[in-house]
Amino acid sequence: MLRNYIKIAWRNILNNKVYSAINILGLAAGMAVALMIGLWVVNEYSYDRFLPNYEQLYQVEQHFTTQHDGEHTQTALSLPLAEVLRKEIPGIKRVAETDWVGMQWHDLLVGDKKLYLAGGSAHPDFLQIFKYPFIKGSAKDVFTQPNSIILNESTAKALFGDADPINKIVRYDNSQNLKVTGVIKDIPKNATLQFSFLTPFAFKEATEGWMKGARTMWVNNSFNMYLELQPGVTMEQIAPKIKNIVYDRSEQMRPAKPEVIIHPLKKWHLYNDFKNGKAVGGFIDYVRMFSVIGILVLLIACINFMNLSTARSEKRAREVGVRKAIGSQRIDLIAQFLAESIMITFISFLLSVVIVQLAIPSFNEIVGSAISIPYTNVLFWLIMIGYVLFTGLLAGSRPAFYLSSFNPVQVLKGTIKVGKAASLPRKVLVVMQFSCSVALIISTIIVYQQIQHAKDRPTGYSSTRLMFTDMSGDLEKNYKALKNDLIASGMVEDVASASSPVTAIYSHAAIDNWPQKNADENGISVGAISISANYFKTMGMAMKDGRDFSAEWATDTTSVIVNEAAVKRMGLKDPINKEINYNNMGRVHIIGVVKDALMESPFTPVRPVVFNHGRGGNEIMYRLAPNVNMQDAIKKIGNIFDTYNPAYPFIYKFVDEEYNRKFSLEALVGKLAGVFAGLAIFISCLGLFGLAAYVAEQRTKEIGIRKVLGASIAQVWLMLSKEFILLVMISCIIATPVAFYFLKDWLQKYEYRITIGPEVFVLSAVAAILITLATISFQAIKAALTNPVKSLRSE
């Protein structure tokens, strides 16, 4: 029986090559989109789940609520908290304090090999909490000595080749010798924490002077913390026990109402937006959004199949009538039509796999992932079998039940006109698929406008030819000589140093007291940046009032410069020479006000920032001289850096490239929305093309008569096109309020955002109509050009 179904289905597919090809191509495109998004979604949900016992692993964070700065959640914590969690809270198995693992860049030297890599320092329990597989050594003993280091497999190979690295010496930042005590496998790409090496936290405490006393300072929020709960203990059981630890033990932190919370490992990657101390959203919103889009695109492809199958029902009706007359039951006909649908779907699936395989490299580049088709995974193929069956049944359900319902007597007598009976549902389906397509077009335009709106926002500094390099190794002590040589080379026109690049703020502090402060006001959270003289000139930032720092550091040790946002936040009308109580500098006076600059997100208001005059910094900022050749300049600058910092590779970044990375998520959404909108339109137009061909075929006699009576080509074209245009216009009317509702909600997350205007919806509607006209005009004009004598003779 099954064999007969397959044979008949294959014969029908071959007998209707054009319509079968349209169905196969449309379904293949829809299935490819759904498969690609499915692989991506599975990859996003798989983050960090390779770790044993991942459900019991958490990151410790702090939630703050202040009167004027609102609420925010941060991962930066103070070290005393670790000891309280470790010793006083039952239910916690292990606690590990770390620096910013994966964001701390250091130099590793072995002989003439030097690598500048991201790593960090961690308490020994870190490797017990996160059970990374060891190739050499074990988590229990690799950090028993402070001067030790563990490497990942790639780093060990890069430094030591095929030799055994255990007990070998690595020169760390050209200042300390560390013994290799362990090698772990390379961290999988679907891991939130990525690092090339780790050193003991005790090593950091012993070698970095600024950490002296940090174990007792509740206000020094400069560290990260992770913990593992005992088996059977839940987050809900621990949360009330740890909530008020900082509030109860630190009077200085109390005004910010700190609450200690824990964030589950399984949610790190997808949930990073917090409200009232709870993870409520983040990247998960986009994963869900594109999951829905994938389903919609597949649904559009299925609608095409339904439409073309039911549109051709008049020709299939005689087949149904004959088969029923010779004894076939309705269930047999349903099975036959579903078998045909599943066969087309199976062919489409094979084609979709080819499409996905070809598209994966480009898709991975766009989204920054590493997905692939798991050909050797049995579970994947079982799911794909279900996927093919589900899609085939979904696409073939309406045609199967509709066609099998025909009355054989009426069909064989020719008294049934099944094409008209199917027209209303077919029109509804066309409206549905084009509504989805138009909504995607509108979304693509709005996302693009929002990105451009933020990109057009003045940054407050000049990024042209502006570069920066980490202040690593010997650069700080050689800063003056380096600066002089860079300018003397003629390749650089200005040089400055700072504790943060102009595209970020690494440190934050508080203004505790200022003129006109109300008695009930809390302190003000501000960005804290230490800068050298000439910083504002190098950045191209303009002073609004007062003066810049003097060239001599000692002259301005108790002076600060604030930005306009800080002046506004403090409510100062004449800020110059006003005294404020700032962070650990105590009483300082304001000597200048600099205009606001976008140093953080381009979608949010500028944060209040305080600049103090510093001797060192984390970054060296320099601007290339105009008209110099970029490659020659970088080569000459690199030689100068190598002279003063020979143990480190010369690594540089361009400020404009770093700034553009701030739009990466929105750009990703825009690109994917554009691609999927294009595919949705393509699939919908395939369906229109097929329907237009069928309508032209069905109205051949009418067209011939109209032409004999004097109808022009334009009139015939309009006759065949107007119904489709009307359906697309209805789709635009439906898509407009739906898209507006969801896009307005999406824009609410940006404080600096566009206002959605009517021109977007008009433009989208015009685009959809023009695309529709281009699609159906070929068939309409072809029918209009047909010789009426031939069409009437054939009828």
Side-chain angles (χ1 to χ4, degrees):
M1 183 70 74
L2 180 61
R3 195 171 178 180
N4 288 334
Y5 288 154
I6 294 173
K7 285 176 66 176
I8 296 171
W10 182 246
R11 187 179 66 240
N12 284 330
I13 291 171
L14 293 178
N15 288 339
N16 300 279
K17 293 184 179 66
V18 174
Y19 295 102
S20 296
I22 291 174
N23 274 331
I24 289 170
L25 188 56
L27 271 179
M31 294 182 80
V33 170
L35 177 57
M36 183 80 80
I37 291 179
L39 292 170
W40 177 64
V41 169
V42 169
N43 179 71
E44 297 304 308
Y45 271 99
S46 72
Y47 264 69
D48 300 311
R49 309 222 174 180
F50 63 89
L51 289 165
N53 201 30
Y54 71 87
E55 292 187 334
Q56 294 299 100
L57 309 185
Y58 296 82
Q59 182 166 20
V60 187
E61 304 185 5
Q62 275 188 116
H63 178 72
F64 296 99
T65 305
T66 58
Q67 182 180 356
H68 293 283
D69 300 320
E71 61 168 318
H72 72 277
T73 301
Q74 66 181 39
T75 58
L77 305 165
S78 58
L79 287 183
L81 178 61
E83 291 303 312
V84 176
L85 294 174
R86 188 177 287 123
K87 296 177 179 179
E88 300 182 23
I89 308 298
I92 295 178
K93 187 176 182 180
R94 295 186 180 93
V95 177
E97 55 269 43
T98 73
D99 59 8
W100 299 80
V101 171
M103 292 183 278
Q104 301 287 317
W105 289 77
H106 294 275
D107 193 44
L108 306 182
L109 295 94
V110 174
D112 60 349
K113 297 175 182 176
K114 53 184 179 181
L115 302 176
Y116 194 59
L117 299 171
S121 298
H123 185 277
D125 278 352
F126 181 85
L127 296 170
Q128 299 274 6
I129 294 171
F130 302 101
K131 296 178 174 62
Y132 300 109
F134 273 82
I135 298 173
K136 294 182 180 293
S138 67
K140 294 181 180 179
D141 53 28
V142 291
F143 281 168
T144 54
Q145 298 297 322
N147 281 50
S148 55
I149 187 172
I150 67 167
L151 310 172
N152 69 6
E153 191 174 3
S154 296
T155 304
K157 190 171 184 63
L159 291 173
F160 298 101
D162 295 327
D164 186 355
I166 298 300
N167 294 325
K168 299 284 177 47
I169 298 300
V170 173
R171 186 73 173 167
Y172 183 82
D173 284 343
N174 202 30
S175 61
Q176 301 286 336
N177 289 330
L178 302 181
K179 184 195 295 185
V180 179
T181 55
V183 178
I184 62 173
K185 287 186 177 180
D186 288 340
I187 308 295
K189 290 185 178 180
N190 61 338
T192 305
L193 290 175
Q194 296 283 345
F195 55 90
S196 299
F197 67 88
L198 282 179
T199 60
F201 200 76
F203 168 73
K204 185 179 186 73
E205 291 183 281
T207 56
E208 299 187 22
W210 69 273
M211 289 192 62
K212 186 177 181 181
R215 287 281 176 186
T216 60
M217 295 174 60
W218 287 95
V219 294
N220 187 359
N221 293 302
S222 304
F223 309 95
N224 290 163
M225 222 163 285
Y226 306 92
L227 59 80
E228 177 183 1
L229 298 184
Q230 295 283 359
V233 177
T234 66
M235 181 174 74
E236 289 73 21
Q237 292 172 318
I238 292 296
K241 298 177 183 178
I242 66 174
K243 179 179 178 179
N244 295 319
I245 290 177
V246 176
Y247 184 88
D248 292 340
R249 302 183 186 226
S250 174
E251 188 174 345
Q252 289 175 286
M253 295 288 292
R254 201 166 294 163
K257 300 177 182 177
E259 295 179 3
V260 179
I261 61 175
I262 52 177
H263 191 198
L265 172 72
K266 62 185 180 182
K267 289 189 173 183
W268 287 1
H269 178 65
L270 296 176
Y271 292 84
N272 49 24
D273 287 344
F274 291 83
K275 188 173 183 179
N276 298 323
K278 295 181 179 179
V280 294
F283 195 62
I284 184 66
D285 298 329
Y286 295 101
V287 172
R288 289 169 178 164
M289 178 177 72
F290 285 112
S291 298
V292 172
I293 289 175
I295 294 171
L296 286 177
V297 173
L298 180 60
L299 185 61
I300 288 171
C302 291
I303 288 173
N304 270 356
F305 185 95
M306 295 177 190
N307 272 346
L308 286 176
S309 298
T310 54
R312 302 189 68 252
S313 56
E314 191 166 333
K315 288 198 171 184
R316 299 296 298 270
R318 286 193 175 89
E319 175 193 344
V320 172
V322 171
R323 293 187 63 184
K324 279 191 173 184
I326 62 176
S328 292
Q329 300 297 313
R330 187 180 184 192
I331 189 68
D332 297 321
L333 294 171
I334 290 173
Q336 175 59 55
F337 287 123
L338 289 179
E340 187 176 324
S341 172
I342 291 171
M343 181 174 286
I344 289 176
T345 305
F346 178 71
I347 297 170
S348 301
F349 170 71
L350 295 179
L351 180 58
S352 76
V353 171
V354 175
I355 295 171
V356 169
Q357 186 60 55
L358 294 174
I360 274 179
S362 298
F363 184 82
N364 281 337
E365 186 176 345
I366 290 173
V367 304
S369 65
I371 65 171
S372 60
I373 299 176
Y375 291 108
T376 59
N377 189 318
V378 176
L379 179 61
F380 169 76
W381 291 111
L382 291 175
I383 293 172
M384 288 302 101
I385 291 172
Y387 176 46
V388 170
L389 291 175
F390 173 78
T391 305
L393 293 174
L394 177 65
S397 57
R398 184 172 183 271
F401 286 96
Y402 177 70
L403 294 173
S404 64
S405 68
F406 295 156
N407 186 314
V409 176
Q410 288 182 310
V411 169
L412 295 176
K413 281 184 176 180
T415 58
I416 187 171
K417 297 295 182 182
V418 292
K420 290 183 178 179
S423 63
L424 181 59
R426 188 166 65 246
K427 290 175 182 178
V428 171
L429 291 175
V430 168
V431 169
M432 281 177 58
Q433 64 177 178
F434 262 90
S435 295
C436 295
S437 300
V438 173
L440 284 173
I441 292 175
I442 295 170
S443 301
T444 303
I445 295 173
I446 293 296
V447 172
Y448 173 79
Q449 286 184 335
Q450 173 64 7
I451 294 173
Q452 289 304 124
H453 180 63
K455 282 187 174 182
D456 293 341
R457 187 179 180 186
T459 60
Y461 58 84
S462 172
S463 62
T464 306
R465 308 184 316 280
L466 186 59
M467 303 169 65
F468 64 98
T469 295
D470 289 351
M471 184 86 78
S472 56
D474 296 329
L475 291 180
E476 186 171 346
K477 69 179 182 181
N478 293 324
Y479 173 71
K480 285 187 177 180
L482 172 71
K483 175 181 177 180
N484 292 335
D485 282 5
L486 287 173
I487 293 176
S489 71
M491 299 293 106
V492 173
E493 63 179 10
D494 284 306
V495 181
S497 66
S499 59
S500 304
V502 74
T503 54
I505 298 176
Y506 290 162
S507 300
H508 300 89
I511 300 175
D512 299 319
N513 200 3
W514 64 93
Q516 301 173 359
K517 178 188 176 185
N518 296 326
D520 60 343
E521 283 189 286
N522 296 323
I524 301 171
S525 175
V526 297
I529 303 179
S530 179
I531 63 174
S532 69
N534 207 45
Y535 172 84
F536 297 119
K537 181 175 181 291
T538 304
M539 299 304 104
M541 295 169 66
M543 296 294 296
K544 182 181 180 181
D545 200 3
R547 66 174 178 87
D548 197 350
F549 292 123
S550 62
E552 291 298 323
W553 173 78
T555 304
D556 287 318
T557 54
T558 60
S559 303
V560 295
I561 294 173
V562 298
N563 67 350
E564 293 174 294
V567 173
K568 183 178 179 181
R569 173 64 185 82
M570 289 185 286
L572 300 179
K573 293 183 179 179
D574 184 17
I576 303 303
N577 294 323
K578 293 292 192 301
E579 285 195 347
I580 60 174
N581 198 46
Y582 171 64
N583 208 29
N584 57 0
M585 291 179 65
R587 300 296 294 177
V588 296
H589 61 279
I590 299 171
I591 63 168
V593 177
V594 67
K595 289 187 176 181
D596 286 340
L598 290 179
M599 308 184 81
E600 295 180 297
S601 171
F603 299 104
T604 59
V606 175
R607 176 197 293 267
V609 179
V610 176
F611 300 89
N612 69 282
H613 201 182
R615 306 182 74 168
N618 296 319
E619 309 293 339
I620 299 176
M621 319 285 292
Y622 45 98
R623 188 182 300 277
L624 298 182
N627 303 321
V628 298
N629 180 276
M630 190 74 71
Q631 296 302 320
D632 290 343
I634 290 173
K635 185 176 180 180
K636 290 180 181 179
I637 290 169
N639 291 334
I640 296 172
F641 271 89
D642 289 341
T643 300
Y644 291 105
N645 201 30
Y648 286 73
F650 171 56
I651 297 176
Y652 59 89
K653 296 177 183 177
F654 285 94
V655 167
D656 55 359
E657 292 178 357
E658 289 298 300
Y659 181 74
N660 285 334
R661 286 193 179 94
K662 296 177 184 289
F663 302 94
S664 58
L665 178 58
E666 288 72 26
L668 167 63
V669 173
K671 287 178 182 177
L672 290 181
V675 169
F676 296 145
L679 285 170
I681 285 290
F682 170 73
I683 296 169
S684 299
C685 288
L686 272 179
L688 278 188
F689 185 84
L691 286 175
Y694 177 72
V695 169
E697 181 183 339
Q698 290 299 99
R699 301 178 72 174
T700 300
K701 184 177 180 180
E702 178 188 349
I703 293 170
I705 293 172
R706 286 178 179 272
K707 291 196 72 175
V708 168
L709 294 176
S712 66
I713 293 174
Q715 287 173 321
V716 174
W717 170 82
L718 181 62
M719 177 192 75
L720 294 175
S721 301
K722 62 183 180 181
E723 180 180 338
F724 294 110
I725 298 301
L726 178 62
L727 294 178
V728 174
M729 290 176 67
I730 294 171
S731 299
C732 294
I733 293 171
I734 294 173
T736 295
V738 174
F740 178 80
Y741 174 80
F742 286 104
L743 288 166
K744 186 177 180 182
D745 184 61
W746 176 72
L747 287 171
Q748 292 305 310
K749 67 176 64 179
Y750 302 106
E751 295 179 72
Y752 187 81
R753 58 181 179 265
I754 62 169
T755 300
I756 302 177
E759 66 278 359
V760 174
F761 306 107
V762 173
L763 179 63
S764 300
V766 170
I769 292 170
L770 290 176
I771 292 170
T772 302
L773 284 174
T775 302
I776 62 179
S777 289
F778 174 80
Q779 294 293 354
I781 294 171
K782 179 183 175 183
L785 290 173
T786 302
N787 189 331
V789 175
K790 288 184 178 180
S791 60
L792 292 174
R793 181 186 299 159
S794 65
E795 288 292 325

